Amino acid sequence: MKSLDEIRNEIDAIDAQMRVLFEQRMDCIQAVAEYKYSNHGNIFDQSREEKMLKKNLIQLQNKNYGKEYERFLHEILVSSKAYQKDWIQKKENDERGK
C-alpha cells in the first residue's frame, strides 16, 4: 500500500499535467472567442455542449466516476463560456474606445 505522501505526490504530478492541458484548452477557447467575435456567433451552443458531454461520458472508462466527471465537464463549460463572454465584452469595449 502506498503512503499518503506517495499518493499526494502522484496527485501533484497529475495536477501539473492538468495545468498544461488546461492552458492548451484555454488557448483554444481564446481562438473560439475570436472566431465568434469576428463572425458574430453565439457563445452558447446547446447542441455542441450536449454532444461534447455525451461523447466524453461514453468514453469514460471507470463509470463509477460518471457523476463527478459530468460535474467536472459542466464546470469546464461554465468557465469556457464565462471567458468567452469576458473576452468578447473587452474586445467590444476596446473597439468602442477607438
Side-chain angles (χ1 to χ4, degrees):
M1 175 188 272
K2 293 180 184 179
S3 72
L4 186 55
D5 285 339
E6 289 172 319
I7 296 168
R8 287 180 175 162
N9 286 336
E10 246 182 273
I11 290 171
D12 289 345
I14 293 166
D15 287 345
Q17 292 173 32
M18 288 175 62
R19 184 178 55 252
V20 170
L21 293 173
F22 173 79
E23 289 183 72
Q24 291 173 356
R25 190 178 200 290
M26 290 306 293
D27 289 343
C28 291
I29 296 304
Q30 169 87 29
V32 167
E34 292 172 11
Y35 181 89
K36 289 178 179 179
Y37 177 78
S38 296
N39 294 283
H40 308 288
N42 293 324
I43 292 173
F44 178 62
D45 182 344
Q46 184 172 356
S47 173
R48 163 75 179 138
E49 287 191 14
E50 289 171 358
K51 287 176 188 174
M52 180 273 238
L53 288 169
K54 183 177 179 181
K55 176 186 74 173
N56 283 292
L57 287 166
I58 287 171
Q59 293 176 354
L60 185 65
Q61 291 183 5
N62 188 333
K63 301 302 183 192
N64 292 325
Y65 303 146
K67 180 180 173 185
E68 294 308 316
Y69 188 55
E70 186 171 5
R71 186 180 311 188
F72 174 74
L73 293 174
H74 276 291
E75 289 301 319
I76 288 172
L77 291 170
V78 168
S79 177
S80 296
K81 288 183 287 195
Y83 182 85
Q84 289 177 54
K85 180 181 175 191
D86 291 345
W87 187 90
I88 290 171
Q89 284 179 344
K90 183 180 184 310
K91 187 75 171 172
E92 289 172 345
N93 290 338
D94 291 348
E95 291 291 320
R96 277 181 271 210
K98 284 186 175 180

